[in-house]
Amino acid sequence: PYNQLGTVDGDQSRIDIDGSELLTAVGSADTSLVVTPSASYSMLWTTATADFPFDVRAGGEVMRATSGTSWLVDAFARSVSSGWGTADTGQTWGTAGGVSTDFNVGSGVGQHTLSTTGASRRSFATAGDAYLDFDYYGSITTSATATGASMYGGLAARYVDSSNMYTAQLGFSTANVITLTIGRRVNDVLTTLATYTLPDAYVSGTYYRVRFQGRGANLKAKAWAAGVVETPEWQVTATDSTFSTSPFFGLRSISDVGNTNVNPIVSYDDVAIVSPQTLTVTRSVNGVIKAHTAGTAVSLAYPTYVAL
């Protein structure tokens, strides 16, 4: 049953993914596969250049994957005034709320200046397809500790429009307390679905990394100090099916009415939507030529089996 023997750390050894499937249908000549974890799984394909190429199988066709990318990656290594420009992976950032000068990119971060209170600033990117499931990272900080009232920054998914979305939001209070909240905004009315208070005392300029994941109606989020190992547990979880799909992802910042900071800035860094993913492939390695429907399982064509 085996076509080669080797050691687990050999150059050709490949351990298969838990479960992966096509998010969108592909024609018989398409060379990009948009993939997402199957069912309850969350494992992702490698995106490390050194790991390619390898062969995958979908619906009886073997294809050679030559590269893999996350749907969106942005390290903000550019300078843009009155806007956010284009992400590293090519998506154009739109902006909404406040005035144009509230949105800038510089010093390796994307910035929202909260020049007025009680009104959100939003940056958003479109996928071109309506994606239900997502796995989303971003690092967040503020330019000052909050005075008078709290400030907030967070990730927005299933972003329908400026008033309807899910958010995984960090709140920075005047007592330097950090809270992580999963929220649902419908017609700009916030419903808190789950909340968690981080044990850290906040210091302005310290980045906290947030991960926000949605699988069907199941929403999860966690936050930890950037630069250290990701916390293994999901700190907040919620179940909600108000928003089933949207082509937009976003970042949202706001300060409460009563905040007295002068033009505070909420900064974002290392934004990454790691799922969905795109595999670039060479088709019909085994001579099979066919189209594939959304939901078709994608797996390693020749996985390494480990003896027990």
Side-chain angles (χ1 to χ4, degrees):
Y2 309 109
N3 59 10
Q4 73 178 56
L5 296 175
T7 58
V8 172
D9 60 351
D11 290 344
Q12 299 305 312
S13 296
R14 297 284 189 272
I15 304 300
D16 205 0
I17 201 164
D18 286 340
S20 182
E21 64 186 46
L22 291 177
L23 185 61
T24 56
V26 295
S28 59
D30 292 335
T31 56
S32 293
L33 309 181
V34 180
V35 295
T36 188
S38 302
S40 59
Y41 298 117
S42 59
M43 184 182 291
L44 302 173
W45 292 97
T46 180
T47 57
T49 301
D51 290 335
F52 291 87
F54 53 83
D55 292 344
V56 297
R57 189 186 304 272
E61 179 186 353
V62 175
M63 315 174 207
R64 183 149 298 150
T66 55
S67 66
T69 58
S70 301
W71 180 79
L72 182 148
V73 174
D74 202 351
F76 300 100
R78 57 187 179 276
S79 181
V80 182
S81 298
S82 298
W84 272 23
T86 303
D88 297 344
T89 41
Q91 295 85 354
T92 299
W93 287 105
T95 59
V99 295
S100 62
T101 53
D102 290 338
F103 302 89
N104 298 284
V105 177
S107 302
V109 298
Q111 299 175 331
H112 288 168
T113 299
L114 305 181
S115 56
T116 55
T117 64
S120 66
R121 274 69 174 166
R122 303 169 302 279
S123 297
F124 56 91
T126 178
D129 290 290
Y131 293 153
L132 171 64
D133 297 335
F134 59 88
D135 200 347
Y136 190 1
Y137 287 83
S139 297
I140 305 169
T141 193
T142 64
S143 60
T145 55
T147 57
S150 296
M151 294 186 286
Y152 306 87
L155 314 181
R158 298 185 194 159
Y159 182 115
V160 179
D161 55 38
S162 60
S163 301
N164 297 275
M165 68 192 81
Y166 289 121
T167 58
Q169 177 177 267
L170 291 182
F172 304 97
S173 78
T174 57
N176 297 325
V177 173
I178 313 169
T179 56
L180 170 65
T181 301
I182 293 178
R184 177 188 68 221
R185 302 196 77 87
V186 177
N187 297 325
D188 220 21
V189 176
L190 173 66
T191 298
T192 297
L193 301 176
T195 189
Y196 171 79
T197 300
L198 276 66
D200 311 40
Y202 179 62
V203 177
S204 62
T206 301
Y207 279 90
Y208 280 82
R209 194 138 181 85
V210 176
R211 183 179 181 184
F212 188 20
Q213 187 181 97
R215 302 284 296 168
N218 298 312
L219 305 172
K220 303 177 181 179
K222 61 173 81 171
W224 64 98
V228 301
V229 175
E230 177 178 341
T231 182
E233 73 277 5
W234 294 99
Q235 297 154 339
V236 283
T237 60
T239 301
D240 191 88
S241 56
T242 302
F243 305 120
S244 60
T245 187
S246 171
F248 299 106
F249 294 92
L251 298 159
R252 183 179 186 275
S253 309
I254 194 170
S255 57
D256 282 335
V257 174
N259 178 272
T260 56
N261 294 98
V262 178
N263 295 328
I265 296 171
V266 179
S267 296
Y268 296 90
D269 197 7
D270 295 322
V271 172
I273 298 170
V274 297
S275 180
Q277 294 177 290
T278 299
L279 296 178
T280 300
V281 297
T282 301
R283 299 295 297 270
S284 308
V285 171
N286 64 341
V288 175
I289 302 173
K290 62 185 294 188
H292 303 281
T293 59
T296 298
V298 180
S299 62
L300 277 179
Y302 309 109
T304 299
Y305 294 91
V306 180
L308 299 178

